[in-house]
Amino acid sequence: LDDFEFSFIELPKFNKTLDELITILDKWIYFIKNAQDLTLIPQTYQETEAFKEAFEISMQQSWNKEELKIYEYIALREFDEINALRTATKKAELAGEKRGKEEGIKEGMKAGEEKLKMREIEIAKKSLQNGLDIKTVCAITGLPVEVIESLKQ
């Protein structure tokens, strides 16, 4: 596989210090070898989220039951808040979508009515040009007499 690399390491032979770590592999080997002795995340590890997570997990191994229980409670609360936020966001999106559809329908209806009125005016003009009387044109188009009289002028 292109994204995988296998390395076989003899931990006792790995003697690099924090200052000598250059590659990601060096940093992971150092972490594996020294995680149990570290109390803080070294500065060279601060840049990568994966290392922060690995250090946090390794630190949990030294916690007592009460500390672990508190951590799990806080993590659960955080997860609940994230889910509540996701739910609220989804509800807001759905409400906005519904409101948008309703406004779109109203705008479409209005545009359709305007188009229909323009079409009725065109029909009225052609009907008048073909010699139909105003009452007949009113009956055909449904337009008021005043509108048709204004078209005749």
Side-chain angles (χ1 to χ4, degrees):
L1 299 171
D2 291 338
D3 296 335
F4 283 13
E5 177 182 320
F6 293 97
S7 300
F8 296 94
I9 303 149
E10 293 181 56
L11 289 178
K13 291 182 181 178
F14 185 83
N15 295 319
K16 289 187 179 182
T17 65
L18 270 173
D19 298 330
E20 297 172 324
L21 303 178
I22 298 170
T23 66
I24 295 286
L25 184 59
D26 286 346
K27 290 179 182 181
W28 277 113
I29 295 168
Y30 184 88
F31 169 76
I32 292 168
K33 184 175 181 179
N34 299 296
Q36 66 187 14
D37 300 327
L38 296 172
T39 55
L40 295 174
I41 302 173
Q43 189 62 34
T44 57
Y45 286 89
Q46 293 290 337
E47 70 227 22
T48 309
E49 198 62 39
F51 284 125
K52 289 180 187 177
E53 189 176 340
F55 273 101
E56 187 175 308
I57 291 168
S58 74
M59 295 296 198
Q60 291 175 12
Q61 301 306 312
S62 65
W63 292 352
N64 62 34
K65 285 185 180 184
E66 188 62 30
E67 289 171 324
L68 195 54
K69 188 175 180 180
I70 291 169
Y71 175 81
E72 288 173 351
Y73 173 78
I74 291 170
L76 184 61
R77 295 285 299 170
E78 188 175 302
F79 184 72
D80 287 347
E81 288 175 19
I82 290 169
N83 277 338
L85 182 61
R86 283 183 184 153
T87 301
T89 302
K90 189 68 173 172
K91 283 182 181 178
E93 287 173 358
L94 291 174
E97 192 175 298
K98 182 179 177 186
R99 202 169 333 132
K101 283 181 182 177
E102 289 171 357
E103 288 176 15
I105 289 170
K106 286 178 186 176
E107 286 181 25
M109 293 290 284
K110 186 177 179 181
E113 288 172 4
E114 288 177 15
K115 233 180 182 178
L116 181 61
K117 190 171 185 176
M118 294 301 292
R119 182 75 178 130
E120 288 170 345
I121 290 173
E122 287 299 315
I123 291 170
K125 284 181 184 178
K126 286 183 181 179
S127 298
L128 289 171
Q129 288 172 353
N130 289 327
L132 292 176
D133 65 284
I134 293 175
K135 285 185 181 181
T136 306
V137 175
C138 285
I140 292 171
T141 62
L143 293 171
V145 175
E146 299 82 29
V147 173
I148 294 175
E149 285 177 349
S150 69
L151 293 175
K152 198 170 186 180
Q153 297 170 354

